[in-house]
Amino acid sequence: MFSPLIDQLIVALRRLPSVGPKTAQRMALHLLERDRQGAENLAHALLKAVESVGQCQSCRNLTEQEQCNICKNPRRDQSLLCIVETPADVIALEQSGQFSGTYFVLFGHLSPIDGVGPKEIGIDLLERRLDQEDIKELIIATNPTMEGEATAHYIGERAKSRNVRVTRIAHGVPLGGELEYIDGGTLAHALNSRREI
Amino acid sequence: MATQQISSYLLHCRKYTDSRVILDLLTSDFGLVSGVFRLKTKKKITTAVPSFTPLLVSWGRGQALKTITDVEPVGPGCKLSGITLFAAMYVNELMLRLLAAEDSSADVLSLYQGVLLELEHLALSGQSQLAHIEVPLRKFELMLLANLGYGISFSSDAFDQTIEEHLFYRLDCEQGFVPVLTSDDAGVLSSPTKMKVVFEGKTILSMAINDFSDLMVRREAKTISRMLLKPLLGDKPLKSRELFSTV
């Protein structure tokens, strides 16, 4: 329906999560009709990010520096390492304001059927860190899915063999949640990890 | 045509869109079924489809990829953790690699249920060493192969003669156990590089009665199972085997 370049832009925008054909069309037309400067800035920022952003040498999080700001920060507790699946999990934990240690980002979880094994999630780098650094506690914050649990166990065993304390974040009823809407598995977890008040 | 409330287990779940997933299910009447399912969200809490849990699944139209309309857990999930969870993931990968789509076999579902319950029992009784999970896994592999038509006899050889305790046999994946009798076969037996492909009658007979208590029987059962699975799995190894390397 549109000229080839507009079609190409719409197809490119559809790569984004939650963007279907209609939304991509709206975005493309908005940029071309009303915000040409914004479109140029977007293109420039995208190109620059793709060219420069890589992974932190210590935690594998996305950064354009050799070491990310969290790993470089001397006020962070370097003996506390939190294992997460994605960079978005780092942001979520940072927003909680409760964690002052450092992170290690797996970029996924163990999923043999999808061809993801220990090597693909950077276990070799994690083991090197456990061997070389003075890490006292490993907090495993992988998701409470089958694959997340398997990943937690796999990492836990490797850390324990190096005498590192291993903990797992608690799972259960979310704050503000209502019991009647929570599935049986989550409730069972919540009951098993109940604590005295 | 719509299909209603079929007993199933989830083997694998892949993200399709933000709210939809592709489920690979092991079903009682239709074998392996894949379909798109919209995850239920109530009050911003998304409920995932549980693994290792008996389900009742309904689906609508679709040829290769169905539209799954409903997934209901009908019982508690198997409580697996640690190495038993790795074992169950291995079973899932094996099932997905070996089973053909919609090739129905009710026995495979009960076989799957059986191995999950055995693994759960091990997990709950604290028997979480590699040696513990080997027995249910070997039994499962050999029974699955038999169910798919690739089984071999452990009580009689390729020539329908009873397996003799004191004899040695080599494995022909299609025919079964062949006694090592000729001078060529004796060469196989004496050659150190090929020694592993020769099995003692005594251990084969132990496997025939599902007695895996002896370490040698477990080792040889693993070799036999791998030899039988190899032509079916092709060159691509099972990725879940990597999980066991650390434990």
Side-chain angles (χ1 to χ4, degrees):
Chain A
M1 192 191 296
F2 297 105
S3 68
L5 276 180
I6 302 173
D7 274 338
Q8 207 178 320
L9 178 60
I10 292 171
V11 170
L13 287 167
R14 282 187 62 189
R15 301 189 76 86
L16 294 166
S18 305
V19 176
K22 274 273 176 200
T23 311
Q25 185 184 306
R26 279 183 57 221
M27 286 174 167
L29 293 178
H30 171 82
L31 290 171
L32 295 171
E33 279 176 40
R34 298 188 199 103
D35 196 3
R36 294 227 166 197
Q37 185 57 48
E40 234 172 79
N41 292 346
L42 177 67
H44 185 64
L46 258 177
L47 203 63
K48 215 169 161 192
V50 168
E51 274 172 5
S52 315
V53 173
Q55 284 182 309
C56 169
Q57 286 182 350
S58 302
C59 72
R60 301 176 88 220
N61 200 1
L62 296 173
T63 177
E64 61 268 36
Q65 302 152 320
E66 272 191 17
Q67 252 196 334
C68 70
N69 288 337
I70 295 175
C71 291
K72 271 198 306 204
N73 188 343
R75 280 186 291 186
R76 307 284 303 207
D77 185 352
Q78 302 287 336
S79 68
L80 211 55
L81 189 65
C82 182
I83 311 288
V84 293
E85 291 188 13
T86 64
D89 296 339
V90 174
I91 296 168
L93 282 162
E94 283 297 289
Q95 280 171 349
S96 76
Q98 292 295 307
F99 183 65
S100 59
T102 56
Y103 297 92
F104 188 86
V105 186
L106 299 170
F107 279 90
H109 47 222
L110 290 173
S111 179
I113 294 172
D114 297 315
V116 182
K119 210 199 295 174
E120 285 75 16
I121 56 170
I123 298 294
D124 43 353
L125 175 62
L126 177 63
E127 281 186 294
R128 256 203 317 279
R129 284 194 66 182
L130 290 173
D131 288 334
Q132 292 167 0
E133 295 172 27
D134 186 24
I135 294 165
K136 295 209 164 49
E137 184 178 346
L138 207 65
I139 302 169
I140 305 182
T142 52
N143 291 328
T145 56
M146 170 185 73
E147 291 88 355
E149 292 299 334
T151 310
H153 178 75
Y154 189 90
I155 293 170
E157 289 296 302
R158 299 216 148 191
K160 276 189 222 159
S161 70
R162 291 167 169 84
N163 293 321
V164 176
R165 183 176 178 230
V166 182
T167 53
R168 181 96 172 93
I169 55 161
H171 306 127
V173 183
L175 288 178
E178 290 172 43
L179 291 194
E180 64 167 308
Y181 294 114
I182 294 164
D183 66 288
T186 309
L187 276 178
H189 246 295
L191 274 172
N192 288 334
S193 39
R194 68 189 183 277
R195 61 189 172 114
E196 257 177 63
I197 51 168
Chain B
M1 199 179 71
T3 310
Q4 297 294 320
Q5 302 209 317
I6 303 296
S7 297
S8 311
Y9 275 90
L10 175 69
L11 293 182
H12 188 53
C13 176
R14 272 170 291 163
K15 199 172 172 179
Y16 184 48
T17 64
D18 277 352
S19 58
R20 288 187 293 174
V21 287
I22 295 177
L23 306 179
D24 293 315
L25 298 154
L26 176 68
T27 66
S28 57
D29 302 1
F30 299 87
L32 206 60
V33 168
S34 297
V36 179
F37 179 60
R38 185 178 288 277
L39 292 170
K40 290 174 189 167
T41 305
K42 272 182 193 164
K43 299 231 167 176
K44 290 190 177 172
I45 299 170
T46 304
T47 308
V49 180
S51 301
F52 314 124
T53 305
L55 307 167
L56 280 179
V57 179
S58 308
W59 60 82
R61 62 196 162 73
Q63 291 295 313
L65 199 63
K66 315 283 181 207
T67 303
I68 295 172
T69 50
D70 192 35
V71 176
E72 283 300 328
V74 283
C78 285
K79 292 169 191 67
L80 302 169
S81 58
I83 197 161
T84 55
L85 180 58
F86 291 173
M89 288 169 89
Y90 167 78
V91 167
N92 281 5
E93 190 182 6
L94 194 63
M95 294 290 245
L96 277 173
R97 293 279 296 274
L98 293 186
L99 297 183
E102 296 189 50
D103 186 4
S104 72
S105 169
D107 291 347
V108 175
L109 190 82
S110 57
L111 204 61
Y112 181 76
Q113 236 162 357
V115 72
L116 286 188
L117 289 174
E118 277 194 70
L119 291 171
E120 184 185 35
H121 173 72
L122 291 176
L124 295 177
S125 58
Q127 299 176 72
S128 50
Q129 301 295 314
L130 196 56
H132 295 126
I133 59 154
E134 272 185 334
V135 179
L137 285 186
R138 292 301 90 77
K139 281 199 259 180
F140 170 77
E141 287 165 347
L142 297 174
M143 278 153 75
L144 179 65
L145 283 165
N147 209 293
L148 297 176
Y150 299 101
I152 51 163
S153 171
F154 286 82
S155 50
S156 53
D157 66 15
F159 309 107
D160 257 350
Q161 302 296 308
T162 312
I163 298 271
E164 297 290 341
E165 249 188 54
H166 58 279
L167 286 183
F168 283 85
Y169 296 84
R170 65 182 170 80
L171 177 62
D172 181 317
C173 291
E174 283 172 14
Q175 311 284 318
F177 292 102
V178 180
V180 179
L181 293 172
T182 66
S183 54
D184 282 354
D185 286 340
V188 170
L189 180 60
S190 59
S191 159
T193 53
K194 292 181 178 175
M195 195 73 177
K196 61 178 186 293
V197 296
V198 178
F199 306 96
E200 201 180 344
K202 201 172 129 190
T203 53
I204 298 171
L205 287 171
S206 294
M207 290 174 217
I209 54 165
N210 271 338
D211 177 7
F212 293 88
S213 52
D214 188 75
L215 177 67
M216 184 55 85
V217 178
R218 290 202 297 274
R219 273 192 195 155
E220 296 209 340
K222 189 173 181 174
T223 310
I224 291 169
S225 175
R226 286 205 175 192
M227 285 173 77
L228 292 171
L229 287 171
K230 200 168 188 304
L232 305 175
L233 293 172
D235 292 332
K236 195 178 159 199
L238 288 166
K239 194 81 180 168
S240 44
R241 282 184 185 149
E242 289 177 19
L243 301 180
F244 298 103
S245 61
T246 49
V247 202

